[in-house]
Structure formats: C-alpha cells, structure tokens
Amino acid sequence: MELNRTELRCVLSITVVLLLSSHAVAYDPLDPTGNITIKWDVMSWTADGYVAVVTMNNFQMYRQIMSPGWTMGWTWAKKEVIWSMVGAQATEQGDCSKFKGNIPHCCKRTPAVVDLLPGVPYNQQIANCCKGGVVASYGQDPAAAVSAFQVSVGLSGTSNKTVKLPNNFTLLGPGLGYTCGPAKVVPSTTFLSADKRRKTQALMTWNVTCTYSQFLASKHPSCCVSFSSFYNDTIIPCPSCACGCENKNCVKYVHTPPHPVFKSPIPNLSSILPPTRPWHRSDSKILSTPGINTPKKDNTPLLQCTHHMCPVRVHWHVKLNYKDYWRAKVAITNFNYRLNYTQWTLVVQHPNLDNVTEVFSFEYKPLVAYGSINDTGMFYGMKYYNDVLMEAGAYGNVQSEVLLRKDADAFTFKQGWAFPRKVYFNGDECMLPPPDVYPYLPNSSPVSARVILHNLAAPLLALLLLQMAAPW
C-alpha cells in the first residue's frame, strides 16, 4: 500500500517528534559513548539504614562541568532521611520536626545535593570531593573527571533485599541538559588495599547513567564560527542572531587604538580576529557598576553587543600554503563579561586532522571514536598558560596555529574544503556559516555583473571613438 504525500509528511513529523522526545537526542556522534555515571556503593549497614559512597564519573571526552558546579537530585522510594554527609551537603534540610535528639541532615523526599567548596576542614572531606562541583572532561584530565561524597541514609532497608533504590535522578551540570536513567543494580565494586595484597568489595552497588542533550540545555547555540583565508579578501562572519537576539541587555564597545594599528595584509581582518593589545574601551557605564562581573545563580550572561549575540566566537583562518603543508589559525573570543571559561575545550572535525604535524600554544588530542576514522580532534589550553579563557574584554581571547601535512589525494582549497565540518566549544556545537558563502578561490569565483559590463564597455567605447575620429 502506497502512502500519499500528506500521509508521508505526517509519518515523518511523528517520527521526528518521537526522536526529539526520546533519549536519542542525547547521542553525540563525535563522542558516542560519552556519559556521566553515578555509582552508589553501600559500604556498611547501620541500625536503620546504610552508609554509601556516591561517585560521579565523567566519561565525556570534551564536556566538563564548570563553576558553580553540579547539583544532584533524586526521589526516595520510601521515607528515607539523610543522617549525615561527608564531602557534600543537601541544599535544604526540610521538615525534621518529628525527630527528637539527633536531627537528620536532610528530611526532604527529593533532596538536592551539591559539592563542598575547596578548603573545608579535613574531617568533612573524602577523596575526590570538595572542588566546588567542578569536574573536568575525561579527555582533558581523567584524574579530575571524578567527584565523590559519602552519605548516611536512615529509615531505609538494612540488607540487599530490603533496600529500595532511589529513583527520578536529576543532574544539573551546572545548567539543564542532562537526562538520567533509572538506577540499576550492578555487580559490587571491588577495592584494593594500599599494599594491593587484599581485595574487598561493596555490600551493594547500583549505577545511574546520565547523558547530555544540547536541545534540552538551550533552544539556541552558545557559540558561532567565522571564516577567512589568505586567498580571498572576504571575511565570513558568524550568522546574524546565531545565538538568538532575545537578550537586549548588552554592552556596546568601541574600537579606539591609542596609536597606529598594525594593518593585516587581509583587509578588515582586525574586525574579526581578537586584538593583541587592550585597545577596546566601553562606551557604557554598565561595566563600572560594582559586582557587575559577578556570575548570577541562573548563569545569566552579560554580553558584548554583536550581530551574532553569542557568548563565544571561534574564528578559523586559512593562513599559509606550503608545498607539502598548510597552516590554519584558530582564535576563540569570549563576549561574556560574567564568565571565565576554565579548562575550556574546542573540538573540530576536519578530514585533514589525520595529518596534524604541530599545534602551537594549544594542547591537542585526537578523538578516534570510529576505529580508523581520524578526522576529529580536541584542542585545549596549556596548564597555567592559556587554560582559562578570560571574561570579555581586551584579554578575553586565546589563539593558536595548526600545521597540517597535505594529503595529495584529498587536499584542495576549492569549495571550502579547508574549513571545519563541525566545531564544538565546551561540548556544545557551534553554528557555522552556510556553505555557499565560504571564501572561494579567485579563479573559481563567480563572474560579477561589474566585470561583465566592464568587458563589454571597453570595446564599445573604442569603437565609438574610432567612429568619431573617422572623416565624414
């Protein structure tokens, strides 16, 4: 039975809706196995419950949890309470009025837990705690891609058969975007003693897996990409309103160099690339307000006014062409006055990344998710040098250059081949310009109407002059 056009359109619409409403939207093709796994290890039974160590492992290659950090929540299956915590705390105590003597740490049926800040007393710490909720990405720093706390639970089961697993887990990292599955009992975690001669195991273990979806995090992208090249004077800016233009509260900036500006061989390049010296000043009094740069609890940005209105812009410039190599420059600019990007990551997908020869002033790591396909790589800052992308302003940019060896069978500057296919900043995909506006080679450029008129006018003018000079 054949479907007519209306029925086919209806089926396709339903399919799209189902995909967007399912966990399929959390699938990242550049990091197909990336997730955050929350593991509960019951270490001991108590008179009315248990003591568990909760460990959060970030297995995402290039998506970290920045300040103000993670918030974990769940719903108790029965009437459990939290007697005490080490390395973390519940944000609210709830109603504990029915208890006398010992008062629980939290009596809410849906507790929200946050990490402790660095510098708390040692008796409130355990391993991998107390980092303010900041968790690095696994690809950048595996040792720092973990967070943990200890919780003592009461009014619950006291054995493997009577314990009821919490449900409805939630994770803010620090904002929306994560969806957590149900808790599942798994084989108990094993531990080695310090001398590695004795092995012990948890009394009970269950896991919760959380995946990230950019669609759930925001309706707009959080970054955009612009392009330029040595072989074309045209600079391709970020698309207009790439990150949405609903935010009307922005700071206008003017460019006022105190002395003559170095002129790039490419016209207008300085308008795209970040300045190398503090030549910008604000024409707004907003930035002089005390505390204006302090981050808000809801992470509301204070952006520099731009046509794209993105917090972050990535610029890719095809810089030089050699016989066997070519060179690209990458610049990342922060337009948010309220946020420093600590341990930032930049992921680029390009077919020539399988022949990276050298990366200057950035760290680089290939991301090979599909065996022999090596077309994706992660850039990140050098520790204590440029691993922090400062807030918007004169110093709110980082930049590097990449030297790549040419593949004789594939390399070309035609049809935008030298520009990235995908760009991610801090795990979120950036909006690229449309392919039909990419810088093109001069010999492949479309012939303009001005050129056509010029070519036609020259012989006509010569013919007219000859007619006028001819004797009657």
Side-chain angles (χ1 to χ4, degrees):
M1 182 179 67
E2 295 185 357
L3 297 175
N4 59 37
R5 182 174 299 179
T6 303
E7 291 173 335
L8 183 59
R9 185 178 300 172
C10 182
V11 171
L12 290 174
S13 300
I14 294 173
T15 303
V16 170
V17 170
L18 289 175
L19 286 174
L20 292 177
S21 61
S22 68
H23 295 311
V25 296
Y27 175 76
D28 187 345
L30 301 187
D31 188 15
T33 60
N35 67 76
I36 290 181
T37 299
I38 303 170
K39 180 175 63 174
W40 289 55
D41 289 314
V42 176
M43 307 305 294
S44 62
W45 303 112
T46 61
D48 67 339
Y50 57 88
V51 176
V53 173
V54 182
T55 306
M56 178 192 302
N57 289 286
N58 183 10
F59 294 118
Q60 299 174 112
M61 293 301 294
Y62 48 80
R63 185 177 295 110
Q64 74 275 50
I65 297 179
M66 298 194 310
S67 179
W70 55 262
T71 301
M72 187 189 305
W74 61 84
T75 302
W76 292 117
K78 297 190 290 186
K79 296 182 179 181
E80 293 91 337
V81 296
I82 298 176
W83 282 115
S84 63
M85 300 190 76
V86 180
Q89 63 182 3
T91 57
E92 295 183 42
Q93 184 183 36
D95 183 8
C96 297
S97 58
K98 67 178 181 180
F99 291 90
K100 297 179 180 180
N102 292 334
I103 305 298
H105 175 78
C106 178
C107 298
K108 289 182 68 69
R109 190 164 185 264
T110 56
V113 175
V114 295
D115 194 14
L116 295 183
L117 298 175
V120 298
Y122 289 111
N123 61 354
Q124 298 179 26
Q125 299 184 29
I126 66 167
N128 296 315
C129 84
C130 313
K131 297 180 287 187
V134 175
V135 182
S137 63
Y138 190 81
Q140 186 173 3
D141 190 352
V146 60
S147 185
F149 61 88
Q150 179 180 291
V151 57
S152 178
V153 182
L155 302 184
S156 69
T158 56
S159 70
N160 295 31
K161 294 183 179 181
T162 57
V163 166
K164 298 294 183 182
L165 307 187
N167 50 54
N168 298 330
F169 278 85
T170 59
L171 179 65
L172 300 178
L176 298 172
Y178 285 96
T179 301
C180 299
K184 296 181 179 180
V185 176
V186 296
S188 296
T189 304
T190 57
F191 307 93
L192 284 176
S193 60
D195 59 5
K196 298 183 179 181
R197 299 176 63 189
R198 173 175 166 77
K199 183 184 293 185
T200 59
Q201 69 177 47
L203 304 178
M204 185 179 183
T205 300
W206 61 82
N207 282 354
V208 177
T209 302
C210 302
T211 53
Y212 180 84
S213 167
Q214 189 172 344
F215 296 104
L216 298 178
S218 175
K219 63 179 181 179
H220 297 297
S222 58
C223 53
C224 64
V225 183
S226 56
F227 292 144
S228 63
S229 66
F230 71 90
Y231 54 78
N232 193 307
D233 291 346
T234 304
I235 296 172
I236 308 304
C238 287
S240 297
C241 293
C243 299
C245 286
E246 293 87 351
N247 190 351
K248 304 296 183 181
N249 184 25
C250 63
V251 178
K252 295 181 180 179
Y253 248 58
V254 292
H255 191 78
T256 55
H259 48 74
V261 183
F262 169 76
K263 293 187 177 181
S264 168
I266 300 178
N268 301 323
L269 184 59
S270 60
S271 65
I272 290 295
L273 295 179
T276 55
R277 281 178 276 184
W279 291 343
H280 286 73
R281 67 174 177 84
S282 172
D283 64 348
S284 172
K285 296 181 180 179
I286 298 177
L287 295 182
S288 62
T289 306
I292 193 64
N293 296 106
T294 304
K296 302 294 184 181
K297 289 184 177 180
D298 59 356
N299 289 327
T300 303
L302 178 62
L303 300 180
Q304 179 179 327
C305 296
T306 60
H307 73 280
H308 51 76
M309 290 303 291
C310 288
V312 173
R313 181 192 63 206
V314 179
H315 184 78
W316 181 277
H317 173 59
V318 180
K319 185 176 181 179
L320 291 171
N321 181 32
Y322 307 104
K323 179 180 178 182
D324 298 320
Y325 300 88
W326 64 289
R327 195 178 183 115
K329 183 172 183 177
V330 183
I332 310 172
T333 305
N334 185 4
F335 293 99
N336 188 351
Y337 291 99
R338 286 187 179 144
L339 185 61
N340 296 335
Y341 291 93
T342 304
Q343 292 187 320
W344 56 267
T345 61
L346 176 71
V347 173
V348 175
Q349 186 181 43
H350 190 284
N352 210 164
L353 288 181
D354 59 348
N355 277 323
V356 173
T357 302
E358 189 171 358
V359 177
F360 305 89
S361 73
F362 282 175
E363 300 286 0
Y364 177 76
K365 184 175 186 177
L367 299 177
V368 186
Y370 301 100
S372 60
I373 302 177
N374 181 15
D375 64 351
T376 307
M378 177 176 68
F379 301 87
Y380 54 97
M382 294 180 175
K383 199 168 187 179
Y384 307 123
Y385 175 59
N386 57 0
D387 59 338
V388 178
L389 176 59
M390 300 295 290
E391 66 190 31
Y395 303 103
N397 67 86
V398 291
Q399 48 192 306
S400 179
E401 295 188 6
V402 187
L403 184 66
L404 306 104
R405 177 183 286 274
K406 295 179 180 178
D407 183 352
D409 296 330
F411 177 82
T412 179
F413 283 129
K414 295 179 179 179
Q415 299 177 341
W417 186 91
F419 298 100
R421 307 317 188 245
K422 287 179 179 289
V423 175
Y424 287 63
F425 180 79
N426 272 9
D428 284 337
E429 187 171 0
C430 305
M431 178 175 284
L432 275 68
D436 59 339
V437 301
Y438 282 19
Y440 46 75
L441 287 170
N443 59 2
S444 63
S445 60
V447 180
S448 64
R450 183 183 298 177
V451 174
I452 295 174
L453 290 175
H454 179 272
N455 292 340
L456 291 176
L460 290 175
L461 181 60
L463 182 62
L464 180 61
L465 290 173
L466 288 174
Q467 291 290 337
M468 294 174 64
W472 292 94

